[in-house]
Amino acid sequence: MTKEIIIKDLEHIREAAQEFIEVFHDTFADDNAVKCFAFHAPMGAGKTTFIKTVCEELGSTDVITSPTFAIVNEYTANRFPIYHFDLYRIKKLEELYDIGADDYFYSGNPCFIEWPEMAESALPDETIMITIVPQNNGSRTVSFSIEQ
């Protein structure tokens, strides 16, 4: 089943992030579940802003920025770390393996991945593929498939 969350505007982004967390409540609560979320969207569609808000709603008080040059940032939430990847500058899969990405992906902690296209073959099978589409009215549609 495909699920859509509408981000009306920046004033309503927290509501959208809360809805996203509610949809994946069981996944976030399961200490052993793979929690990889791969965000597909054009430049400027709001990937980082949405991930930042989701991290804050999960309890992180860290300064959350895109890890464009670092490849991965770690944030602290209430009871677990959150890993935020930006793979825009990855040229070869070896770069991902060199930073120990598998350790992050299979850690049981949330991994939010921007620009996953280069690395999709390295992502766990359980990775949730998410698409953010900007609309003409300025809103964003966040869509993904979930099992029933």
Side-chain angles (χ1 to χ4, degrees), residues 83-99:
Y83 304 114
H84 180 192
F85 291 81
D86 184 331
L87 305 183
Y88 186 76
R89 298 193 185 289
I90 294 286
K91 302 293 183 229
K92 301 180 290 184
L93 274 179
E94 288 77 26
E95 294 176 64
L96 203 53
Y97 296 127
D98 287 347
I99 65 164

Side-chain angles (χ1 to χ4, degrees), residues 25-98:
H25 178 268
D26 292 343
T27 302
F28 286 121
D30 183 348
D31 289 338
N32 298 313
V34 172
K35 301 173 186 77
C36 290
F37 301 89
F39 287 82
H40 298 266
M43 185 78 71
K47 295 179 293 293
T48 301
T49 303
F50 186 66
I51 291 169
K52 173 185 183 296
T53 307
V54 169
C55 290
E56 291 170 352
E57 291 300 313
L58 286 170
S60 180
T61 58
D62 294 335
V63 175
I64 298 167
T65 59
S66 179
T68 302
F69 295 101
I71 301 175
V72 62
N73 286 344
E74 181 177 338
Y75 314 120
T76 303
N78 291 332
R79 63 186 216 328
F80 49 80
I82 299 171
Y83 304 114
H84 180 192
F85 291 81
D86 184 331
L87 305 183
Y88 186 76
R89 298 193 185 289
I90 294 286
K91 302 293 183 229
K92 301 180 290 184
L93 274 179
E94 288 77 26
E95 294 176 64
L96 203 53
Y97 296 127
D98 287 347

